[in-house]
Amino acid sequence: ACIVFARLWQHIRPLQASCLLAKAAAATFCSTATLAEMSEHDHETFQSADSGASLTFPQQAGTIRKNGFIVIKNRPCKVVDVSTSKTGKHGHAKCNFTAVDIFTGKKYEDMMPSSHNCDVPNISRAEFTLLDINEEGFVTLMAENGDTREDLTLPKGTDDSEKLAAQLREQFQGGNELIVSVLKSMG
């Protein structure tokens, strides 16, 4: 006998009378003919390395204000302008969001009914002391509790990011002690 979980119920045909349902679909005991048929189907494996925390949370669109955060086109954005239109013929007021990607600075716009939920990114900010910058741009950072990180690089990708990276290198090479703020969202 084999145990078949809920995912495989969709693959079992009604003609397979050899299956016996036990304890409210918790497990199914099958004949060897059913086993051979099930081996033809893909079996799904579940692997996870994160804590299970969500990258976003839902929030009603009408409650998001200027300087808040929203996910537009799968990018975490800071809202720079919100305008709400009046109720139309379909009965919903619409919110027009203008937002800027918090990492790239790219401008995004989105419109949705004010009563609908939209995704808001979970954002965390941590401060570290800058200990070292190597030739490839990787930085060594120390948290307040003494733990170090060496997996982050200097900002890159846009003109502002390149300017900030050059400024950090210059200040660090000048012997200044620098405190850097690391912003984390959606990954």
Side-chain angles (χ1 to χ4, degrees):
C2 69
I3 298 176
V4 180
F5 295 102
R7 168 130 168 52
L8 296 177
W9 270 103
Q10 62 188 348
H11 301 295
I12 298 173
R13 293 187 178 85
L15 297 177
Q16 296 170 333
S18 61
C19 290
L20 172 67
L21 180 62
K23 293 191 180 179
T28 304
F29 298 95
C30 302
S31 68
T32 55
T34 308
L35 270 177
E37 188 169 310
M38 285 189 302
S39 65
E40 296 172 7
H41 300 288
D42 293 336
H43 294 287
E44 197 168 325
T45 59
F46 298 96
Q47 297 176 356
S48 180
D50 62 1
S51 64
S54 177
L55 302 175
T56 63
F57 61 92
Q59 185 173 344
Q60 194 172 21
T63 63
I64 296 176
R65 300 286 175 236
K66 186 176 179 179
N67 295 325
F69 294 97
I70 189 171
V71 175
I72 299 177
K73 296 182 182 173
N74 288 326
R75 300 292 304 169
C77 299
K78 185 171 186 171
V79 178
V80 293
D81 187 41
V82 179
S83 61
T84 305
S85 63
K86 293 183 179 181
T87 304
K89 65 180 182 177
H90 297 293
H92 290 285
K94 303 268 188 195
C95 293
N96 298 307
F97 295 102
T98 303
V100 176
D101 189 309
I102 61 175
F103 296 118
T104 64
K106 186 176 177 184
K107 184 178 177 180
Y108 290 99
E109 293 184 4
D110 197 8
M111 178 187 291
M112 62 185 58
S114 63
S115 60
H116 289 196
N117 281 345
C118 56
D119 288 332
V120 175
N122 284 320
I123 296 176
S124 64
R125 183 183 305 265
E127 292 189 347
F128 297 93
T129 303
L130 181 62
L131 299 178
D132 188 32
I133 303 173
N134 70 12
E135 306 83 44
E136 293 109 29
F138 281 90
V139 294
T140 304
L141 303 172
M142 183 174 66
E144 289 182 4
N145 63 3
D147 293 342
T148 59
R149 288 186 70 164
E150 297 177 346
D151 60 335
L152 299 175
T153 61
L154 288 172
K156 56 186 169 191
T158 65
D159 290 337
D160 289 339
S161 298
E162 300 292 337
K163 288 177 186 175
L164 179 60
Q167 186 180 17
L168 285 170
R169 275 190 193 275
E170 180 184 315
Q171 293 286 326
F172 183 74
Q173 290 170 351
N176 295 329
E177 182 177 307
L178 300 175
I179 304 293
V180 294
S181 184
V182 177
L183 189 65
K184 177 183 175 184
S185 180
M186 297 185 71

